Amino acid sequence: AHLVLLPEPPSRHARDHMLAALASGAVLHAGSRADRDDPSRAIARFAPGDHPYVIPPGGTSALGNAGYVLAAAELADQIERGELPGPSVIYVAAGTTGTASGLWLGLASAGLGTVHLVAVRASGPGTARRARVADEVRGTARRLGMSNAPLTERFELEERFAGRGYAIPTDAGTRAIDLCRGDLRLDPTYTAKAFAALAARAPEHRDQPVLFWHTFDSRLPSRGTTSVTDLPGGLRGYARE
């Protein structure tokens, strides 16, 4: 696997994930926004002649989104078995919007179309847009042979908690991490911002069942014996020990 990594603020989180990827055998490259916008450019630079299967940033594609269509069906099964009440509102973090798109389509197809889905933008407005969600929903429905689920007023893109941009922590997100400490581990990039939105808007939902869709997996593969000095030169500045 060739990983074309895009710029973000240096952090321990970024360092640990890069070292774990390196230990797993991946080949890491310092990419640019031009590589993100034109994957063919990245292929020509880093994997010429290999005819690679390209996974876009965030894993957002019709195939990737299908995982969250299935996740919504799993939620419907859990509700039917009485494992939790049917939610009136779901909060979920939104970056490249694949999670929110798959969930929206899945909720509609699983008989949960009355749920209000709040996708909390955690990155720049150019990444998480309502129009992009609509496009992803259409493309995913087409890929799966399902009926489209146009966005209605029950889909909301909450844009007030992203702060200064992707992977830049916010004060509200830090407070959310502290609030959940010991019960739920949040990450500063996505889920802390989503939970901050839920916490700020909790009075709106006083008499409603609210579901926080937690997308952060805090488990980390072993970094083995790798160290920052094993990273390509262009990435060492993002992975300070």
Side-chain angles (χ1 to χ4, degrees):
H2 289 259
L3 307 184
V4 181
L5 305 178
L6 303 177
E8 68 173 70
S11 69
R12 179 179 178 180
H13 182 75
R15 179 202 69 192
D16 288 346
H17 277 269
M18 283 193 286
L19 294 177
L22 194 66
S24 74
V27 181
L28 276 57
H29 307 280
S32 67
R33 300 194 187 283
D35 294 318
R36 177 198 65 188
D37 296 337
D38 183 7
S40 62
R41 179 181 188 273
I43 292 169
R45 291 178 65 201
F46 302 125
D50 284 351
H51 304 292
Y53 179 84
V54 178
I55 299 175
T60 294
S61 65
L63 182 60
N65 303 346
Y68 276 94
V69 176
L70 295 175
E74 182 179 350
L75 172 63
D77 287 343
Q78 291 171 329
I79 294 168
E80 186 175 352
R81 291 196 300 267
E83 295 178 13
L84 76 165
S88 296
V89 186
I90 295 175
Y91 279 76
V92 68
T96 52
T97 75
T99 301
S101 302
L103 272 182
W104 178 256
L105 180 61
L107 291 170
S109 65
L112 298 174
T114 61
V115 174
H116 186 85
L117 180 62
V118 182
V120 182
R121 181 166 68 78
S123 57
T127 303
R129 307 185 311 277
R130 189 180 179 92
R132 176 172 185 171
V133 175
D135 287 343
E136 292 292 342
V137 170
R138 280 193 296 271
T140 306
R142 188 165 52 247
R143 172 72 184 249
L144 298 178
M146 299 170 62
S147 298
N148 186 31
L151 300 188
T152 68
E153 70 281 355
R154 290 192 302 275
F155 178 86
E156 179 183 352
L157 184 62
E158 169 59 83
E159 303 191 71
R160 295 174 294 173
F161 293 85
R164 292 187 293 121
Y166 178 77
I168 302 175
T170 64
D171 290 342
T174 300
R175 289 193 296 271
I177 290 172
D178 291 339
L179 178 65
C180 294
R181 197 177 303 278
D183 298 307
L184 189 67
R185 186 175 174 187
L186 305 175
D187 74 287
T189 299
Y190 291 105
T191 54
K193 295 177 180 181
F195 200 93
L198 187 159
R201 296 179 54 176
E204 299 176 29
H205 312 303
R206 185 179 303 277
D207 299 317
Q208 298 175 306
V210 179
L211 174 64
F212 177 67
W213 199 289
H214 190 37
T215 54
F216 177 54
D217 185 349
S218 60
R219 298 171 297 176
L220 186 68
S222 171
R223 54 186 270 185
T225 59
T226 57
S227 69
V228 169
T229 57
D230 297 316
L231 293 170
L235 293 172
R236 290 175 193 163
Y238 292 100
R240 299 170 186 157
E241 291 281 10

